[in-house]
Amino acid sequence: MVNVHFIQPDSTRQSVEGSEGMTLMETAREAGIPGILAECGGGAICSTCHVHIAPEWIEKVGTAPEMEQMLLELAPGKDESSRLSCQIVLTPELDGLTVTVPEEQSDY
Ligand code: FES
């Protein structure tokens, strides 16, 4: 199992266990994490699964490829820590991953 921590805009923290091979978005949806809308179901076309990666995890998670960067331009609050959670596949190396759910996302 891969432990993942989601921090909401009000600083509440939810820790969930995901499975290796699942995406971060799937893990969030399965656990009922608010704010991860994922309207396209992981098709990488909606950007409503946007999260901010905690600074200490950015190197391990990696930066967004060009196509993902283009989609992230549509995401309110996008910054250099932004990733689409549907494009992050959980691996043992990501155990303990911490991400923040953007406040703006719930306004879609
Ligand atoms: Fe639509 Fe990630 S779920 S882009």
Side-chain angles (χ1 to χ4, degrees):
M1 300 305 277
V2 183
N3 289 298
V4 189
H5 311 288
F6 292 91
I7 300 172
Q8 292 293 325
D10 66 359
S11 298
T12 55
R13 184 183 176 101
Q14 294 160 284
S15 299
V16 302
E17 283 192 338
S19 300
E20 195 179 333
M22 281 179 75
T23 67
L24 183 60
M25 176 278 279
E26 291 167 336
T27 303
R29 294 292 300 268
E30 198 172 283
I33 301 294
I36 309 285
L37 304 183
E39 288 172 347
C40 77
I45 55 172
C46 74
S47 82
T48 61
C49 65
H50 172 210
V51 293
H52 296 285
I53 308 296
E56 64 271 26
W57 284 96
I58 289 176
E59 194 176 327
K60 263 193 185 159
V61 172
T63 52
E66 193 177 336
M67 277 298 293
E68 187 179 329
Q69 288 282 1
M70 287 168 61
L71 260 178
L72 282 165
E73 293 299 330
L74 306 172
K78 182 229 177 221
D79 64 20
E80 62 282 348
S81 71
S82 294
R83 288 295 310 265
L84 296 177
S85 59
C86 70
Q87 301 302 301
I88 298 170
V89 177
L90 297 184
T91 63
E93 291 72 32
L94 295 183
D95 186 44
L97 174 63
T98 303
V99 302
T100 300
V101 178
E103 188 164 16
E104 301 85 353
Q105 203 141 247
S106 57
D107 293 333
Y108 280 19

